[in-house]
Amino acid sequence: PNDDAEFAQEVRRHYAACISHADAQIGRMMEKLKQLGKADNTIVVVWGDHGWHLGEHAIWGKHALFEESLHSPLIISYPGMKKPGESTKSIVETLDVFPTLAELAGLPKPDFVDGVSLKSILESPDASGHAAFSYKSGVRTIRTDSHRLIVHRKGERELYDHRTPERETRNLADQEKELADELAGRIVERLGKDSR
């Protein structure tokens, strides 16, 4: 698809069709819960384990540490939800799903579980999230509400400002070394020196 614009467009159409189909199935499931009288006693979580590149950074797939690969779908619905249907821009991690379900179900969060409950964001979509971390083959990243830092195995860094139109196309690591150092320190604090 990087060399054939017509084929690339066809791939994008097929991807959109898959998303539309999945969306329709979720709608059917939600309607069935209502028909069965279970909607008022069911927590529904729809989430994907990764995003997908459709040509961004010349990538067609999921195996990268850029926004498109790491920004995954997460939808939560539960009885008594104060603002159903509202979306949020808060940064969270999939580690947060378990503690969220525990709190929504009125269960204690086990000591061995990482992550934090997202109930405050579910109640108020403008609530702050927290930094998200990821890694692949020794390359590590942190995403904050404003920046992403990617640190490669040999120490090369990519720092991107998501508040700018360039987002993840203009590396600011050399211009904003102090911020890059701070975020790199947070990666080491969370993931250790080497994450494989």
Side-chain angles (χ1 to χ4, degrees):
N2 284 334
D3 300 321
D4 184 339
E6 190 174 315
F7 180 64
Q9 193 59 21
E10 186 69 15
V11 170
R12 289 184 184 107
R13 277 196 293 273
H14 285 275
Y15 185 83
C18 289
I19 299 300
S20 293
H21 179 73
D23 188 52
Q25 301 318 304
I26 294 165
R28 290 179 64 198
M29 181 190 71
M30 297 300 286
E31 188 57 39
K32 191 66 170 179
L33 283 172
K34 287 179 192 169
Q35 290 173 4
L36 295 172
K38 303 289 184 184
D40 292 336
N41 191 27
T42 303
I43 300 167
V44 177
V45 177
V46 177
W47 114 69
D49 64 338
H50 57 78
W52 197 266
H53 284 273
L54 292 169
E56 304 87 4
H57 304 283
I59 300 170
W60 294 84
K62 64 180 180 177
H63 298 292
L65 293 180
F66 293 115
E67 190 78 1
E68 293 81 7
S69 289
L70 297 175
H71 190 167
S72 62
L74 176 60
I75 301 169
I76 301 175
S77 172
Y78 62 93
M81 194 167 188
K82 294 178 181 176
K83 298 185 177 187
E86 284 199 30
S87 63
T88 180
K89 298 288 185 190
S90 300
I91 304 292
V92 300
E93 297 177 289
T94 54
L95 287 171
D96 301 329
V97 172
F98 188 103
T100 302
L101 289 173
E103 183 173 359
L104 292 177
L107 301 171
K109 175 185 161 187
D111 293 338
F112 63 85
V113 173
D114 290 324
V116 298
S117 174
L118 303 176
K119 189 171 181 187
S120 63
I121 296 171
L122 294 171
E123 290 178 346
S124 176
D126 292 332
S128 294
H130 57 82
F133 298 82
S134 191
Y135 56 91
K136 180 189 179 304
S137 304
V139 181
R140 300 166 299 159
T141 186
I142 179 175
R143 173 66 158 90
T144 68
D145 61 348
S146 60
H147 289 80
R148 173 178 304 285
L149 177 72
I150 301 171
V151 180
H152 295 270
R153 277 180 252 146
K154 293 184 179 179
E156 304 91 350
R157 296 176 178 180
E158 299 174 58
L159 178 65
Y160 301 108
D161 188 340
H162 278 261
R163 300 169 299 182
T164 67
E166 294 92 357
R167 299 175 58 92
E168 292 186 357
T169 62
R170 184 169 170 237
N171 185 354
L172 302 170
D174 290 337
Q175 293 96 314
E176 298 190 36
K177 187 177 180 328
E178 191 173 309
L179 177 59
D181 288 345
E182 176 205 328
L183 294 174
R186 290 176 66 183
I187 289 173
V188 170
E189 184 179 307
R190 171 74 180 272
L191 300 176
K193 287 207 174 268
D194 187 22
S195 304
R196 293 188 193 248

